[in-house]
Amino acid sequence: MANENEAREINKSNLTMKRSTILLIVFLSWILLLIMTSKNKMSSDGFLEVGFPFIFYRGFSGKGNYAELDLGLRYGKLIIDVLIFFSIAVGVSKLVSLRRR
C-alpha cells in the first residue's frame, strides 16, 4: 500500500515537472518568435513593432502628429497573445500525456 502511494506521488511530480518544462519551452519559443518578428525602423522615422501573432506594442520617435498614431501598449492584443501561448502549452502538454499512455 505504501509503495503504491509513493509511486503515485512520483508519477504526479514527474507530470508536474513535464508540464512546467513544456510551458518553459513554449514560452521561450514565443519570446524567440517575438524577437524574430519585431520590426525596428525607428532610426528612419519609422515604428518599433513588437508582438506575435498580434502586434501589442508600437512605438514611434519621429516627427509627426502623435495624436493620430496608435502608439503604446495594446493590452487587449497582449492578453490575446498570452492566451494563445497558454492554449498551445496546454495542448502540447495534453498531447504528451496522451502519448505516454
Side-chain angles (χ1 to χ4, degrees), residues 2-50:
N3 289 337
E4 289 178 20
N5 289 335
E6 288 176 10
R8 285 184 190 149
E9 289 298 319
I10 290 172
N11 285 337
K12 200 182 263 190
S13 66
N14 285 342
L15 183 62
T16 303
M17 183 178 291
K18 286 178 186 175
R19 284 186 180 162
S20 34
T21 303
I22 290 170
L23 186 68
L24 180 66
I25 289 171
V26 172
F27 179 72
L28 291 176
S29 300
W30 183 60
I31 295 295
L32 183 64
L33 284 170
L34 282 176
I35 292 169
M36 289 172 43
T37 60
S38 67
K39 297 174 187 169
N40 187 1
K41 297 183 179 178
M42 292 180 83
S43 61
S44 61
D45 285 343
F47 293 98
L48 167 67
E49 296 179 331
V50 179

Short mmCIF file of all heavy atoms in Angstrom, two decimals, residues 2-50:
data_model
loop_
_atom_site.label_atom_id
_atom_site.label_comp_id
_atom_site.label_asym_id
_atom_site.label_seq_id
_atom_site.Cartn_x
_atom_site.Cartn_y
_atom_site.Cartn_z
N ALA A 2 1.89 1.26 0.82
CA ALA A 2 2.77 2.42 0.89
C ALA A 2 3.52 2.60 -0.42
O ALA A 2 3.75 3.72 -0.87
CB ALA A 2 3.75 2.27 2.06
N ASN A 3 3.94 1.49 -1.04
CA ASN A 3 4.65 1.58 -2.32
C ASN A 3 3.76 2.16 -3.42
O ASN A 3 4.25 2.90 -4.27
CB ASN A 3 5.17 0.20 -2.74
CG ASN A 3 6.32 -0.25 -1.87
OD1 ASN A 3 7.00 0.58 -1.25
ND2 ASN A 3 6.53 -1.55 -1.80
N GLU A 4 2.48 1.82 -3.40
CA GLU A 4 1.55 2.36 -4.40
C GLU A 4 1.40 3.87 -4.24
O GLU A 4 1.38 4.60 -5.22
CB GLU A 4 0.19 1.68 -4.28
CG GLU A 4 0.18 0.24 -4.76
CD GLU A 4 -1.19 -0.39 -4.58
OE1 GLU A 4 -2.18 0.35 -4.45
OE2 GLU A 4 -1.25 -1.63 -4.57
N ASN A 5 1.29 4.32 -2.98
CA ASN A 5 1.17 5.75 -2.72
C ASN A 5 2.44 6.49 -3.15
O ASN A 5 2.37 7.59 -3.71
CB ASN A 5 0.87 6.03 -1.25
CG ASN A 5 -0.54 5.62 -0.88
OD1 ASN A 5 -1.43 5.56 -1.75
ND2 ASN A 5 -0.75 5.32 0.38
N GLU A 6 3.58 5.90 -2.88
CA GLU A 6 4.84 6.52 -3.28
C GLU A 6 4.94 6.58 -4.80
O GLU A 6 5.39 7.59 -5.36
CB GLU A 6 6.02 5.74 -2.71
CG GLU A 6 6.20 5.90 -1.22
CD GLU A 6 7.32 5.02 -0.68
OE1 GLU A 6 8.08 4.44 -1.48
OE2 GLU A 6 7.42 4.92 0.55
N ALA A 7 4.51 5.54 -5.49
CA ALA A 7 4.54 5.52 -6.95
C ALA A 7 3.62 6.58 -7.53
O ALA A 7 3.97 7.25 -8.50
CB ALA A 7 4.14 4.14 -7.46
N ARG A 8 2.45 6.77 -6.92
CA ARG A 8 1.52 7.81 -7.38
C ARG A 8 2.13 9.20 -7.19
O ARG A 8 2.00 10.06 -8.06
CB ARG A 8 0.20 7.71 -6.63
CG ARG A 8 -0.65 6.56 -7.07
CD ARG A 8 -1.98 6.57 -6.36
NE ARG A 8 -2.68 5.32 -6.64
CZ ARG A 8 -3.51 4.74 -5.81
NH1 ARG A 8 -3.75 5.28 -4.63
NH2 ARG A 8 -4.10 3.61 -6.14
N GLU A 9 2.77 9.40 -6.07
CA GLU A 9 3.39 10.70 -5.81
C GLU A 9 4.52 10.98 -6.79
O GLU A 9 4.68 12.10 -7.26
CB GLU A 9 3.91 10.77 -4.36
CG GLU A 9 2.82 10.87 -3.33
CD GLU A 9 1.99 12.12 -3.48
OE1 GLU A 9 2.56 13.19 -3.76
OE2 GLU A 9 0.76 12.01 -3.34
N ILE A 10 5.29 9.96 -7.11
CA ILE A 10 6.39 10.11 -8.07
C ILE A 10 5.82 10.43 -9.45
O ILE A 10 6.33 11.32 -10.14
CB ILE A 10 7.28 8.86 -8.09
CG1 ILE A 10 8.07 8.75 -6.79
CG2 ILE A 10 8.22 8.87 -9.29
CD1 ILE A 10 8.83 7.46 -6.62
N ASN A 11 4.77 9.72 -9.86
CA ASN A 11 4.15 9.99 -11.15
C ASN A 11 3.57 11.40 -11.21
O ASN A 11 3.67 12.09 -12.22
CB ASN A 11 3.04 8.97 -11.46
CG ASN A 11 3.60 7.63 -11.87
OD1 ASN A 11 4.74 7.54 -12.33
ND2 ASN A 11 2.81 6.59 -11.70
N LYS A 12 2.97 11.83 -10.11
CA LYS A 12 2.39 13.17 -10.05
C LYS A 12 3.48 14.24 -10.15
O LYS A 12 3.33 15.22 -10.87
CB LYS A 12 1.61 13.33 -8.74
CG LYS A 12 0.60 14.43 -8.76
CD LYS A 12 -0.09 14.55 -7.42
CE LYS A 12 -1.40 13.81 -7.45
NZ LYS A 12 -2.22 14.07 -6.26
N SER A 13 4.59 14.04 -9.47
CA SER A 13 5.67 15.02 -9.53
C SER A 13 6.35 15.03 -10.90
O SER A 13 6.74 16.08 -11.40
CB SER A 13 6.70 14.77 -8.43
OG SER A 13 7.36 13.54 -8.64
N ASN A 14 6.47 13.84 -11.53
CA ASN A 14 7.02 13.77 -12.89
C ASN A 14 6.12 14.51 -13.88
O ASN A 14 6.62 15.21 -14.76
CB ASN A 14 7.20 12.32 -13.34
CG ASN A 14 8.40 11.66 -12.70
OD1 ASN A 14 9.28 12.32 -12.18
ND2 ASN A 14 8.42 10.34 -12.72
N LEU A 15 4.81 14.35 -13.75
CA LEU A 15 3.87 15.02 -14.64
C LEU A 15 3.94 16.53 -14.45
O LEU A 15 3.95 17.28 -15.43
CB LEU A 15 2.45 14.52 -14.37
CG LEU A 15 1.36 15.07 -15.27
CD1 LEU A 15 1.63 14.68 -16.72
CD2 LEU A 15 0.01 14.56 -14.82
N THR A 16 4.06 16.98 -13.22
CA THR A 16 4.18 18.41 -12.95
C THR A 16 5.47 18.97 -13.54
O THR A 16 5.47 20.05 -14.14
CB THR A 16 4.15 18.67 -11.43
OG1 THR A 16 2.94 18.12 -10.90
CG2 THR A 16 4.21 20.14 -11.13
N MET A 17 6.56 18.22 -13.43
CA MET A 17 7.83 18.66 -13.98
C MET A 17 7.76 18.72 -15.51
O MET A 17 8.25 19.66 -16.12
CB MET A 17 8.96 17.75 -13.54
CG MET A 17 10.33 18.21 -14.02
SD MET A 17 11.67 17.17 -13.45
CE MET A 17 11.66 17.55 -11.72
N LYS A 18 7.12 17.73 -16.12
CA LYS A 18 6.99 17.72 -17.58
C LYS A 18 6.14 18.89 -18.06
O LYS A 18 6.47 19.53 -19.04
CB LYS A 18 6.39 16.40 -18.06
CG LYS A 18 7.36 15.26 -17.98
CD LYS A 18 6.72 13.97 -18.42
CE LYS A 18 7.70 12.83 -18.17
NZ LYS A 18 7.12 11.54 -18.47
N ARG A 19 5.07 19.18 -17.35
CA ARG A 19 4.22 20.30 -17.74
C ARG A 19 4.96 21.63 -17.61
O ARG A 19 4.84 22.49 -18.47
CB ARG A 19 2.94 20.33 -16.90
CG ARG A 19 1.96 19.28 -17.33
CD ARG A 19 0.66 19.40 -16.61
NE ARG A 19 -0.26 18.36 -17.07
CZ ARG A 19 -1.32 17.99 -16.43
NH1 ARG A 19 -1.64 18.53 -15.28
NH2 ARG A 19 -2.11 17.06 -16.93
N SER A 20 5.71 21.80 -16.55
CA SER A 20 6.45 23.06 -16.40
C SER A 20 7.57 23.16 -17.43
O SER A 20 7.87 24.24 -17.92
CB SER A 20 6.98 23.27 -14.99
OG SER A 20 7.34 22.09 -14.38
N THR A 21 8.17 22.03 -17.81
CA THR A 21 9.20 22.04 -18.85
C THR A 21 8.58 22.42 -20.19
O THR A 21 9.14 23.23 -20.93
CB THR A 21 9.88 20.67 -18.95
OG1 THR A 21 10.42 20.32 -17.68
CG2 THR A 21 10.96 20.67 -20.00
N ILE A 22 7.41 21.86 -20.50
CA ILE A 22 6.72 22.19 -21.74
C ILE A 22 6.34 23.67 -21.74
O ILE A 22 6.51 24.37 -22.74
CB ILE A 22 5.49 21.29 -21.93
CG1 ILE A 22 5.94 19.87 -22.25
CG2 ILE A 22 4.58 21.83 -23.02
CD1 ILE A 22 4.84 18.85 -22.23
N LEU A 23 5.83 24.17 -20.62
CA LEU A 23 5.47 25.58 -20.50
C LEU A 23 6.67 26.47 -20.74
O LEU A 23 6.59 27.46 -21.47
CB LEU A 23 4.85 25.84 -19.13
CG LEU A 23 4.29 27.22 -18.88
CD1 LEU A 23 3.06 27.46 -19.73
CD2 LEU A 23 3.96 27.39 -17.42
N LEU A 24 7.81 26.10 -20.18
CA LEU A 24 9.03 26.89 -20.35
C LEU A 24 9.49 26.86 -21.81
O LEU A 24 9.86 27.89 -22.37
CB LEU A 24 10.14 26.35 -19.44
CG LEU A 24 11.48 27.07 -19.52
CD1 LEU A 24 11.35 28.49 -19.02
CD2 LEU A 24 12.53 26.32 -18.75
N ILE A 25 9.45 25.70 -22.45
CA ILE A 25 9.88 25.59 -23.85
C ILE A 25 8.97 26.41 -24.77
O ILE A 25 9.45 27.15 -25.63
CB ILE A 25 9.91 24.11 -24.28
CG1 ILE A 25 11.07 23.39 -23.60
CG2 ILE A 25 10.02 23.99 -25.80
CD1 ILE A 25 11.05 21.89 -23.78
N VAL A 26 7.66 26.34 -24.55
CA VAL A 26 6.72 27.11 -25.38
C VAL A 26 6.91 28.61 -25.13
O VAL A 26 6.90 29.41 -26.06
CB VAL A 26 5.27 26.66 -25.12
CG1 VAL A 26 4.28 27.58 -25.82
CG2 VAL A 26 5.07 25.24 -25.59
N PHE A 27 7.12 29.00 -23.88
CA PHE A 27 7.34 30.41 -23.55
C PHE A 27 8.61 30.93 -24.21
O PHE A 27 8.61 32.02 -24.80
CB PHE A 27 7.41 30.60 -22.03
CG PHE A 27 7.67 32.02 -21.62
CD1 PHE A 27 6.68 32.98 -21.75
CD2 PHE A 27 8.90 32.39 -21.11
CE1 PHE A 27 6.91 34.29 -21.39
CE2 PHE A 27 9.14 33.70 -20.74
CZ PHE A 27 8.15 34.65 -20.87
N LEU A 28 9.70 30.18 -24.13
CA LEU A 28 10.95 30.61 -24.76
C LEU A 28 10.81 30.65 -26.28
O LEU A 28 11.39 31.55 -26.93
CB LEU A 28 12.09 29.68 -24.34
CG LEU A 28 12.51 29.78 -22.88
CD1 LEU A 28 13.59 28.75 -22.56
CD2 LEU A 28 12.98 31.17 -22.52
N SER A 29 10.04 29.74 -26.85
CA SER A 29 9.79 29.78 -28.30
C SER A 29 9.01 31.04 -28.67
O SER A 29 9.29 31.67 -29.69
CB SER A 29 9.00 28.55 -28.74
OG SER A 29 9.71 27.38 -28.45
N TRP A 30 8.03 31.41 -27.83
CA TRP A 30 7.25 32.62 -28.08
C TRP A 30 8.14 33.86 -28.00
O TRP A 30 8.04 34.76 -28.85
CB TRP A 30 6.10 32.70 -27.09
CG TRP A 30 5.18 33.87 -27.28
CD1 TRP A 30 4.46 34.16 -28.40
CD2 TRP A 30 4.90 34.89 -26.33
NE1 TRP A 30 3.72 35.30 -28.18
CE2 TRP A 30 3.98 35.77 -26.93
CE3 TRP A 30 5.32 35.14 -25.04
CZ2 TRP A 30 3.48 36.88 -26.27
CZ3 TRP A 30 4.82 36.24 -24.38
CH2 TRP A 30 3.92 37.10 -24.99
N ILE A 31 9.03 33.90 -27.01
CA ILE A 31 9.96 35.03 -26.88
C ILE A 31 10.86 35.10 -28.11
O ILE A 31 11.11 36.18 -28.66
CB ILE A 31 10.80 34.92 -25.58
CG1 ILE A 31 9.91 35.02 -24.35
CG2 ILE A 31 11.91 35.95 -25.54
CD1 ILE A 31 9.23 36.36 -24.18
N LEU A 32 11.35 33.96 -28.56
CA LEU A 32 12.19 33.92 -29.76
C LEU A 32 11.42 34.42 -30.98
O LEU A 32 11.95 35.20 -31.79
CB LEU A 32 12.71 32.50 -29.99
CG LEU A 32 13.65 32.30 -31.16
CD1 LEU A 32 14.95 33.07 -30.94
CD2 LEU A 32 13.96 30.83 -31.35
N LEU A 33 10.18 34.01 -31.13
CA LEU A 33 9.34 34.50 -32.23
C LEU A 33 9.10 36.00 -32.12
O LEU A 33 9.07 36.71 -33.13
CB LEU A 33 8.01 33.75 -32.27
CG LEU A 33 8.07 32.35 -32.85
CD1 LEU A 33 6.75 31.63 -32.61
CD2 LEU A 33 8.38 32.40 -34.33
N LEU A 34 8.94 36.51 -30.89
CA LEU A 34 8.78 37.95 -30.69
C LEU A 34 10.01 38.70 -31.19
O LEU A 34 9.90 39.72 -31.86
CB LEU A 34 8.55 38.28 -29.22
CG LEU A 34 7.17 38.04 -28.65
CD1 LEU A 34 7.18 38.34 -27.15
CD2 LEU A 34 6.14 38.88 -29.35
N ILE A 35 11.17 38.19 -30.85
CA ILE A 35 12.43 38.83 -31.26
C ILE A 35 12.59 38.75 -32.77
O ILE A 35 12.97 39.74 -33.42
CB ILE A 35 13.62 38.18 -30.53
CG1 ILE A 35 13.56 38.52 -29.03
CG2 ILE A 35 14.95 38.66 -31.12
CD1 ILE A 35 14.51 37.72 -28.18
N MET A 36 12.29 37.59 -33.34
CA MET A 36 12.48 37.41 -34.78
C MET A 36 11.50 38.22 -35.62
O MET A 36 11.84 38.66 -36.72
CB MET A 36 12.36 35.92 -35.14
CG MET A 36 13.53 35.10 -34.66
SD MET A 36 13.34 33.31 -34.86
CE MET A 36 12.66 33.14 -36.47
N THR A 37 10.29 38.43 -35.13
CA THR A 37 9.28 39.12 -35.92
C THR A 37 9.13 40.60 -35.58
O THR A 37 8.35 41.29 -36.23
CB THR A 37 7.90 38.44 -35.78
OG1 THR A 37 7.51 38.46 -34.40
CG2 THR A 37 7.95 37.02 -36.29
N SER A 38 9.87 41.09 -34.58
CA SER A 38 9.76 42.51 -34.25
C SER A 38 10.40 43.34 -35.36
O SER A 38 11.33 42.91 -36.04
CB SER A 38 10.42 42.80 -32.91
OG SER A 38 11.80 42.60 -32.99
N LYS A 39 9.84 44.53 -35.54
CA LYS A 39 10.33 45.44 -36.58
C LYS A 39 10.77 46.73 -35.92
O LYS A 39 9.97 47.39 -35.25
CB LYS A 39 9.24 45.73 -37.60
CG LYS A 39 8.78 44.52 -38.34
CD LYS A 39 7.59 44.86 -39.22
CE LYS A 39 7.03 43.59 -39.82
NZ LYS A 39 5.74 43.81 -40.45
N ASN A 40 12.03 47.10 -36.11
CA ASN A 40 12.55 48.33 -35.54
C ASN A 40 13.06 49.21 -36.67
O ASN A 40 14.16 49.04 -37.16
CB ASN A 40 13.67 48.04 -34.54
CG ASN A 40 14.11 49.29 -33.82
OD1 ASN A 40 13.60 50.38 -34.04
ND2 ASN A 40 15.08 49.13 -32.95
N LYS A 41 12.23 50.15 -37.08
CA LYS A 41 12.60 51.10 -38.12
C LYS A 41 12.58 52.52 -37.57
O LYS A 41 12.29 53.47 -38.30
CB LYS A 41 11.66 50.95 -39.31
CG LYS A 41 11.75 49.58 -39.95
CD LYS A 41 10.87 49.48 -41.16
CE LYS A 41 11.04 48.08 -41.75
NZ LYS A 41 10.19 47.86 -42.89
N MET A 42 12.87 52.65 -36.28
CA MET A 42 12.82 53.95 -35.62
C MET A 42 13.94 54.88 -36.08
O MET A 42 13.80 56.10 -36.00
CB MET A 42 12.84 53.79 -34.11
CG MET A 42 11.59 53.16 -33.56
SD MET A 42 11.61 52.95 -31.79
CE MET A 42 11.11 54.57 -31.27
N SER A 43 15.03 54.35 -36.58
CA SER A 43 16.15 55.20 -36.98
C SER A 43 15.82 56.03 -38.22
O SER A 43 16.46 57.04 -38.49
CB SER A 43 17.39 54.35 -37.23
OG SER A 43 17.15 53.44 -38.28
N SER A 44 14.82 55.61 -38.98
CA SER A 44 14.43 56.36 -40.18
C SER A 44 12.99 56.84 -40.09
O SER A 44 12.21 56.71 -41.02
CB SER A 44 14.63 55.48 -41.42
OG SER A 44 13.81 54.34 -41.32
N ASP A 45 12.62 57.40 -38.95
CA ASP A 45 11.27 57.89 -38.68
C ASP A 45 10.21 56.81 -38.88
O ASP A 45 9.12 57.06 -39.36
CB ASP A 45 10.93 59.11 -39.55
CG ASP A 45 11.60 60.36 -39.07
OD1 ASP A 45 12.06 60.37 -37.91
OD2 ASP A 45 11.68 61.33 -39.84
N GLY A 46 10.55 55.61 -38.49
CA GLY A 46 9.62 54.50 -38.60
C GLY A 46 9.11 54.08 -37.23
O GLY A 46 9.25 54.79 -36.24
N PHE A 47 8.55 52.91 -37.18
CA PHE A 47 7.95 52.39 -35.96
C PHE A 47 8.77 51.26 -35.37
O PHE A 47 9.51 50.58 -36.07
CB PHE A 47 6.54 51.85 -36.26
CG PHE A 47 5.56 52.90 -36.64
CD1 PHE A 47 5.27 53.14 -37.98
CD2 PHE A 47 4.93 53.65 -35.68
CE1 PHE A 47 4.35 54.11 -38.34
CE2 PHE A 47 4.01 54.63 -36.03
CZ PHE A 47 3.73 54.85 -37.36
N LEU A 48 8.59 51.04 -34.09
CA LEU A 48 9.04 49.84 -33.41
C LEU A 48 7.78 49.04 -33.12
O LEU A 48 6.88 49.52 -32.43
CB LEU A 48 9.77 50.16 -32.11
CG LEU A 48 10.02 48.99 -31.17
CD1 LEU A 48 11.00 48.02 -31.79
CD2 LEU A 48 10.53 49.47 -29.84
N GLU A 49 7.69 47.83 -33.69
CA GLU A 49 6.51 47.00 -33.50
C GLU A 49 6.92 45.65 -32.92
O GLU A 49 7.83 45.01 -33.42
CB GLU A 49 5.79 46.78 -34.83
CG GLU A 49 5.23 48.05 -35.43
CD GLU A 49 4.54 47.84 -36.75
OE1 GLU A 49 4.93 46.90 -37.49
OE2 GLU A 49 3.63 48.61 -37.05
N VAL A 50 6.24 45.27 -31.84
CA VAL A 50 6.54 44.00 -31.16
C VAL A 50 5.23 43.25 -30.96
O VAL A 50 4.23 43.84 -30.56
CB VAL A 50 7.20 44.25 -29.78
CG1 VAL A 50 7.49 42.94 -29.08
CG2 VAL A 50 8.46 45.07 -29.93
#
